[in-house]
Amino acid sequence: MEGKKVLVVGAGPVGSLAALYAAGRGAEVEIYELRGDLRNDETTPLNFTKSINLALSERGINGLRSAGTPELLESILARTIPMHGRMIHTRTATGAISQQSQAYDVHGRFQRSVDRGELNKVLLDHLSSLPNVHFFFQHKMTGADFGKKKAWFEIMDKSSRTSEDRAREIEVSFDLCIGADGAHSATRHHMMKYARMDYQQEYIDCLWCEFTMPPSKSGDFAISPNHLHIWPAGSFMFIALPNLDKHFVCTLFGPVELFSRLETGSESELVSTFDKYFPGVTTYIPPADLLGQFKRNPHLPLVNIKCAPHHFGESVVILGDAANAMVPFYGQGMNAGLESVRVLFSKLDTMPDRATALAAYTAERAEDARVIADLALANYTEMRSSVTSPLYKWRKWIEEHLDKYVPSWGWATQYSRISFSNMRYSDVIQRSKSQKRILTSVLLAVALAGGTVPLAIVWWWLFGMRFQQRKIFNLTRSAR
Amino acid sequence: MEGKKVLVVGAGPVGSLAALYAAGRGAEVEIYELRGDLRNDETTPLNFTKSINLALSERGINGLRSAGTPELLESILARTIPMHGRMIHTRTATGAISQQSQAYDVHGRFQRSVDRGELNKVLLDHLSSLPNVHFFFQHKMTGADFGKKKAWFEIMDKSSRTSEDRAREIEVSFDLCIGADGAHSATRHHMMKYARMDYQQEYIDCLWCEFTMPPSKSGDFAISPNHLHIWPAGSFMFIALPNLDKHFVCTLFGPVELFSRLETGSESELVSTFDKYFPGVTTYIPPADLLGQFKRNPHLPLVNIKCAPHHFGESVVILGDAANAMVPFYGQGMNAGLESVRVLFSKLDTMPDRATALAAYTAERAEDARVIADLALANYTEMRSSVTSPLYKWRKWIEEHLDKYVPSWGWATQYSRISFSNMRYSDVIQRSKSQKRILTSVLLAVALAGGTVPLAIVWWWLFGMRFQQRKIFNLTRSAR
């Protein structure tokens, strides 16, 4: 890649990491970003509220680690807060508040809560120090010719669409264009005119609204900082992730119908709904503050995007949400995006030419992307309801004990392989299926031998549930 | 709609008809078209070859009829050629050429072959005569704000993308924007930023290449002009539709693998493939001409598009291929598009306000669009292989005779309801399913009574086949 011109579209975490990989290989890197520089707050018209916290796990860390810049990785990890497990908040039959901790991993591996903006800033600062990386903020991609390897960008500024502004467009040539410009990717849009791309997007029946939980009066975290907190409520839920400033960044997820009801209902309805389903929350976020945040902060949709191929010829490839936006319930969106960068460059490093490398990348990654998107959707059910089920806990217990006490069997839960390994997502599913077959056979044999058929049926149902493939694309719904 | 400003994007048959409906209701209509005026050949950089023939049937005709301009409809119908049935060309076991005519309808209803360009021209000419319709050719939609009801268009001309050209952009305000700008719709693209749209596109494993079959030496049609000719070959096929100039417009449809083989193979391979599978064709299109056309004419993909909703708020609605591009195998693409215009305006005419009308339109049309897209794909199998099956013919015979001789039963084949009625596509499917249940029950009863169970099984299989819902969106294929 020495001396080649690499265009990165999008300066988010995934685009920044791709730029870092390309720069490390001697490319001349130009990063074009629609928004202003994140590090200069005044110019950044972010659509979301001031902070979004994400769970950084092995795949993301490995993506950062493989960039070969250990100080940068250290600097990022120093800005994370370990979350060793979920804290499940429920109310007991007597109405008392119950908090149950469920460890993520039997070997003590953990998720890390990180502020998306902070992570991004560290990456941008590092990139700014590299001589072969150049930033072009407030540049909007307006067109691309992936045959001739040219792209066009419009220079945006506050004074909007007058003819003169529109004339301020630049033409850029490149050897390789990497599109990491998010779910509404312009790169993907223009690539679709060249690649015969199968593409699906679906909005799921779930909106989200962000809340901030302030520190306690003593200035400390209001609740345990080393957990991802969940208030499961069946068809909806509330979660909280710790932030370095001792706040928690919280999110309400729920069906459109719930949001409509809360938006149009009385103020007391919101508070009483929280008190009923999310016990304790109004202790940490006072009701007036809760109401204000619900009114002030946007109520946003969730979209699921799958497509293939992820590249065209030898000139363009899309990564991250641009190729594969998923719902946030497995905490894998950014991790998958950062992993994509590692996989892409491993192909580029080892294949004889770029066209072959990009084709190999699509062949591997489109499949994995499809798998994790489906798992993320399925995990919504787990987080908002299954976590409280005794059967769920029993299964988790058995799987984890097999993992811990018979390590030679190579047993592991699906969750730990997704979150704490770098095994391909599609291989994780295969391994989980194979484990299911073995366990089912053993239990069936035991059941038949002992006559305890009901046990076998429960087991079958239990494991069957875990591997259910949800049919997620259903366009029968015609109107909203 | 009196005095309202209606923007129609796309001056193809569907956009033109929508403009006609809007103009007839007193709207001020502006039509923006990316390409030049079709009636002025020199300025029209069409992507396709000089002529595409389509099958116009009841739904399309009814769409034109309901515009309330009978002379226009007459003028269009005068430019069509009736096709009373399919002519199936095969080779017998002895190698002789066989031609079998299969009538489309037991009541004598027929398809009409029409030149897309001709139909379009007649519509454009009519629109040009209306005082409240204005054309803007070579205008490319570059943006739209469907909240503020504004759209931006770039004025295209031969001298391409210089800054000055790009500056020639105009802003247009509107009351309603109707996007009929095809499968790669810019209107849909910009609408997706406002509507939470579920969207799917898939390229099927089929390419197509157009051929022209010249008139015979005596100047007449080379083969029967009143048929849609099919040379079925299992996994691929060749078809021919008559044109008014005594030519046939022919199309080769086949998997990518076949095209690759023919593109890279010797010249004699193309001719011998035609001779083997499409008996007689090289008599009507001499081998040298066939080769030339295969090399000269583009080899194009087929895309299947589904989305919902088809509108946003009260400001924009998409129609035709923009909302619902389908494969051509049921001959319903343009018919469905023209029908959409009729359905849209029936909602606008009868509903209390435009937002309600557009929502009602989506509720009805997104479902019907999904149904016909699936049927069109399933019909590919019928055309290229089932038509030669004795079972297929037997079933057709029984269904048609029930239709003809017991009309009080209201029996009809799915094909005739799709092609020769205005019943909603989704109702057609329901009726077909109900017919299947009745026939299956009767046959099962007969079989059980007479002990002829095998007959019942054959019947079940037969009707089961017809209603199979093909799973058409499958993204497991990862690379091409």
Side-chain angles (χ1 to χ4, degrees):
Chain A
M1 204 164 262
E2 189 70 39
K4 296 285 180 193
K5 171 105 161 264
V6 174
L7 215 68
V8 175
V9 187
V14 176
S16 299
L17 186 63
L20 183 58
Y21 272 68
R25 282 155 179 79
E28 282 302 314
V29 181
E30 293 187 355
I31 306 180
Y32 290 82
E33 165 62 45
L34 173 66
R35 299 194 177 94
D37 190 339
L38 186 70
R39 295 164 296 180
N40 177 3
D41 274 331
E42 290 135 55
T43 65
T44 307
L46 286 182
N47 286 328
F48 31 81
T49 51
K50 64 175 181 178
S51 123
I52 287 184
N53 278 44
L54 301 166
L56 179 64
S57 57
E58 172 56 20
R59 289 169 202 271
I61 295 169
N62 196 32
L64 295 162
R65 186 188 295 129
S66 304
T69 47
E71 325 74 44
L72 177 69
L73 175 62
E74 280 315 304
S75 169
I76 289 170
L77 293 184
R79 285 170 171 78
T80 66
I81 299 177
M83 299 185 293
H84 292 281
R86 295 168 175 163
M87 183 71 85
I88 312 296
H89 298 252
T90 51
R91 221 180 260 287
T92 64
T94 62
I97 293 177
S98 149
Q99 294 193 22
Q100 270 201 312
S101 170
Q102 293 180 356
Y104 275 124
D105 185 61
V106 73
H107 302 292
R109 292 169 296 188
F110 50 86
Q111 299 275 6
R112 291 165 181 269
S113 178
V114 64
D115 183 311
R116 186 193 195 278
E118 279 299 309
L119 172 68
N120 210 158
K121 282 177 190 169
V122 175
L123 283 164
L124 293 179
D125 280 342
H126 184 90
L127 288 169
S128 295
S129 73
L130 303 180
N132 53 339
V133 174
H134 305 279
F135 285 103
F136 299 83
F137 289 103
Q138 291 186 288
H139 277 63
K140 177 184 179 178
M141 183 186 252
T142 54
D145 184 328
F146 293 118
K148 296 186 181 142
K149 300 191 176 182
K150 284 180 194 300
W152 292 270
F153 293 89
E154 184 185 316
I155 301 165
M156 315 286 288
D157 59 29
K158 304 254 171 175
S159 61
S160 64
R161 315 186 61 106
T162 68
S163 289
E164 261 173 83
D165 280 350
R166 297 282 294 169
R168 297 177 58 206
E169 194 183 62
I170 57 166
E171 179 178 295
V172 185
S173 296
F174 56 84
D175 292 298
L176 173 64
C177 172
I178 299 178
D181 44 354
H184 301 287
S185 170
T187 313
R188 184 186 65 224
H189 174 65
H190 295 295
M191 189 176 117
M192 283 168 92
K193 297 171 189 165
Y194 293 83
R196 289 171 193 167
M197 185 192 281
D198 291 344
Y199 174 83
Q200 301 179 299
Q201 72 175 44
E202 192 194 37
Y203 286 90
I204 68 165
D205 181 22
C206 179
L207 296 178
W208 62 282
C209 174
E210 203 163 275
F211 295 84
T212 303
M213 183 186 290
S216 67
K217 277 178 188 153
S218 64
D220 205 356
F221 285 101
I223 47 180
S224 158
N226 296 119
H227 283 92
L228 188 158
H229 295 263
I230 307 180
W231 286 259
S235 66
F236 55 102
M237 67 176 179
F238 190 74
I239 68 169
L241 278 81
N243 200 17
L244 280 181
D245 64 4
K246 312 275 171 131
H247 284 73
F248 273 86
V249 177
C250 311
T251 315
L252 169 67
F253 292 99
V256 173
E257 182 274 331
L258 174 77
F259 271 78
S260 306
R261 190 151 47 79
L262 296 177
E263 284 159 9
T264 55
S266 65
E267 298 196 341
S268 65
E269 181 162 0
L270 181 79
V271 176
S272 67
T273 300
F274 266 69
D275 279 340
K276 183 170 177 190
Y277 295 103
F278 309 142
V281 169
T282 54
T283 319
Y284 313 121
I285 311 177
D289 191 11
L290 191 78
L291 277 164
Q293 295 196 47
F294 185 72
K295 280 187 189 159
R296 204 165 52 241
N297 295 344
H299 302 171
L300 299 167
L302 291 175
V303 69
N304 201 322
I305 290 176
K306 297 175 184 174
C307 67
H310 290 185
H311 75 289
F312 171 72
E314 56 143 36
S315 61
V316 58
V317 60
I318 51 174
L319 295 180
D321 282 1
N324 181 38
M326 66 192 78
V327 298
F329 305 116
Y330 223 119
Q332 284 292 305
M334 185 183 65
N335 288 293
L338 299 178
E339 182 179 59
S340 290
V341 176
R342 179 183 63 77
V343 174
L344 170 65
F345 280 86
S346 76
K347 303 294 181 202
L348 289 169
D349 289 346
T350 57
M351 297 275 174
D353 62 78
R354 200 189 305 137
T356 312
L358 297 188
Y361 174 77
T362 278
E364 175 170 329
R365 205 61 192 168
E367 186 188 354
D368 287 334
R370 188 181 53 77
V371 167
I372 190 61
D374 287 346
L375 286 178
L377 205 49
N379 221 44
Y380 186 31
T381 313
E382 177 162 326
M383 285 181 81
R384 67 181 201 249
S385 82
S386 311
V387 285
T388 58
S389 139
L391 290 177
Y392 167 84
K393 293 185 224 168
W394 181 47
R395 170 162 57 78
K396 186 170 185 290
W397 185 89
I398 294 178
E399 288 195 308
E400 288 182 346
H401 280 69
L402 283 172
D403 183 3
K404 186 165 184 179
Y405 296 108
V406 210
S408 61
W409 286 10
W411 208 272
T413 61
Q414 181 174 285
Y415 187 89
S416 74
R417 286 205 178 104
I418 293 291
S419 300
F420 307 123
S421 89
N422 293 295
M423 183 185 283
R424 283 186 58 186
Y425 290 126
S426 49
D427 288 342
V428 172
I429 284 288
Q430 288 310 314
R431 291 290 288 273
S432 292
K433 281 184 181 160
S434 141
Q435 286 185 191
K436 176 197 170 192
R437 271 195 300 274
I438 294 168
L439 275 177
T440 305
S441 307
V442 170
L443 268 281
L444 266 181
V446 169
L448 289 172
T452 53
V453 173
L455 177 67
I457 290 169
V458 167
W459 188 269
W460 182 282
W461 173 77
L462 207 60
F463 277 86
M465 238 180 53
R466 184 172 184 85
F467 299 98
Q468 248 174 25
Q469 289 297 322
R470 289 214 24 209
K471 185 167 175 288
I472 62 162
F473 287 106
N474 177 7
L475 278 181
T476 53
R477 165 172 60 100
S478 51
R480 240 164 299 220
Chain B
M1 206 164 260
E2 190 69 39
K4 297 285 181 193
K5 172 103 163 266
V6 174
L7 215 69
V8 175
V9 187
V14 176
S16 298
L17 186 63
L20 183 58
Y21 272 68
R25 282 155 179 79
E28 281 302 314
V29 180
E30 293 187 355
I31 306 180
Y32 291 82
E33 164 62 45
L34 173 66
R35 298 193 178 93
D37 190 339
L38 186 69
R39 296 165 294 179
N40 176 3
D41 273 330
E42 289 134 56
T43 66
T44 308
L46 287 179
N47 285 328
F48 31 81
T49 52
K50 65 173 178 177
S51 124
I52 287 183
N53 278 44
L54 300 167
L56 179 65
S57 56
E58 173 56 20
R59 289 170 201 271
I61 294 170
N62 195 33
L64 294 163
R65 186 188 296 129
S66 304
T69 47
E71 324 75 43
L72 177 70
L73 175 62
E74 281 314 306
S75 168
I76 289 169
L77 293 184
R79 285 169 170 79
T80 66
I81 299 177
M83 298 186 293
H84 292 279
R86 295 168 176 163
M87 183 72 84
I88 312 297
H89 298 252
T90 52
R91 220 180 262 286
T92 66
T94 61
I97 293 177
S98 149
Q99 295 191 20
Q100 270 202 312
S101 170
Q102 293 180 356
Y104 276 123
D105 185 61
V106 73
H107 303 292
R109 291 169 298 187
F110 50 86
Q111 299 274 5
R112 291 165 182 270
S113 178
V114 63
D115 183 311
R116 185 191 195 280
E118 279 299 308
L119 170 68
N120 211 156
K121 282 177 190 168
V122 174
L123 283 163
L124 294 179
D125 280 341
H126 184 90
L127 289 168
S128 294
S129 71
L130 302 179
N132 53 340
V133 174
H134 305 279
F135 284 103
F136 299 84
F137 289 102
Q138 293 187 288
H139 278 63
K140 178 184 179 178
M141 183 186 252
T142 54
D145 184 330
F146 293 118
K148 295 186 182 141
K149 299 191 177 183
K150 285 180 193 300
W152 292 270
F153 294 89
E154 183 186 315
I155 301 164
M156 315 286 287
D157 59 29
K158 304 256 171 174
S159 63
S160 63
R161 314 185 62 105
T162 68
S163 289
E164 260 173 83
D165 280 348
R166 297 283 294 169
R168 296 178 56 207
E169 194 184 61
I170 56 166
E171 179 179 295
V172 184
S173 296
F174 56 85
D175 292 298
L176 173 64
C177 172
I178 299 178
D181 44 353
H184 301 288
S185 170
T187 313
R188 183 186 66 225
H189 174 65
H190 296 296
M191 189 177 117
M192 284 168 92
K193 296 170 189 164
Y194 293 83
R196 288 172 194 165
M197 186 191 281
D198 291 343
Y199 174 83
Q200 300 180 299
Q201 71 174 45
E202 193 195 34
Y203 286 90
I204 69 164
D205 181 21
C206 179
L207 297 178
W208 62 281
C209 175
E210 203 163 273
F211 294 85
T212 304
M213 183 187 290
S216 68
K217 275 176 191 157
S218 63
D220 205 357
F221 285 103
I223 47 179
S224 159
N226 296 120
H227 283 91
L228 189 159
H229 296 263
I230 307 179
W231 286 259
S235 65
F236 55 103
M237 69 176 177
F238 191 75
I239 68 169
L241 279 81
N243 200 17
L244 279 182
D245 64 2
K246 312 276 169 133
H247 284 73
F248 274 86
V249 177
C250 311
T251 315
L252 169 67
F253 292 99
V256 174
E257 182 273 334
L258 174 78
F259 272 77
S260 306
R261 191 151 45 80
L262 295 178
E263 284 159 8
T264 54
S266 66
E267 298 195 341
S268 64
E269 182 162 358
L270 181 78
V271 177
S272 67
T273 301
F274 266 69
D275 279 339
K276 183 170 176 188
Y277 295 104
F278 309 142
V281 169
T282 55
T283 319
Y284 314 121
I285 311 176
D289 191 11
L290 191 79
L291 278 163
Q293 296 195 47
F294 184 72
K295 279 185 189 162
R296 206 167 49 242
N297 295 344
H299 301 172
L300 299 167
L302 291 176
V303 69
N304 200 323
I305 291 176
K306 296 175 186 175
C307 66
H310 289 185
H311 75 289
F312 171 71
E314 56 144 34
S315 61
V316 58
V317 61
I318 51 174
L319 295 180
D321 281 2
N324 180 38
M326 68 191 77
V327 297
F329 305 116
Y330 224 120
Q332 284 291 307
M334 185 185 64
N335 287 293
L338 299 178
E339 182 179 56
S340 292
V341 176
R342 180 183 63 75
V343 174
L344 171 64
F345 280 85
S346 76
K347 303 293 182 201
L348 289 169
D349 290 345
T350 57
M351 297 273 174
D353 61 78
R354 200 189 306 140
T356 313
L358 296 188
Y361 174 78
T362 278
E364 175 171 329
R365 205 62 191 166
E367 186 188 355
D368 287 333
R370 188 181 52 78
V371 166
I372 190 60
D374 286 348
L375 285 178
L377 205 50
N379 221 44
Y380 186 31
T381 315
E382 177 163 325
M383 286 182 79
R384 66 180 202 250
S385 81
S386 311
V387 284
T388 58
S389 139
L391 289 177
Y392 167 83
K393 292 185 224 168
W394 180 47
R395 170 164 56 79
K396 187 170 185 288
W397 184 89
I398 293 178
E399 289 195 308
E400 288 182 346
H401 280 69
L402 283 172
D403 184 1
K404 187 167 184 179
Y405 295 109
V406 210
S408 62
W409 287 12
W411 207 273
T413 61
Q414 180 174 287
Y415 187 89
S416 73
R417 286 205 178 104
I418 294 291
S419 300
F420 306 123
S421 89
N422 293 296
M423 183 186 281
R424 283 186 59 187
Y425 289 126
S426 50
D427 289 340
V428 173
I429 284 289
Q430 289 310 313
R431 292 290 289 272
S432 292
K433 280 183 181 160
S434 142
Q435 287 185 191
K436 176 197 169 191
R437 273 195 299 273
I438 294 169
L439 275 177
T440 305
S441 307
V442 170
L443 267 282
L444 266 181
V446 169
L448 289 172
T452 52
V453 174
L455 176 67
I457 291 169
V458 167
W459 188 269
W460 182 282
W461 174 77
L462 206 59
F463 277 86
M465 239 179 53
R466 183 169 184 89
F467 300 98
Q468 247 173 26
Q469 289 296 323
R470 287 211 31 202
K471 186 168 174 288
I472 63 163
F473 287 106
N474 177 6
L475 277 181
T476 52
R477 164 172 62 99
S478 51
R480 239 162 304 217

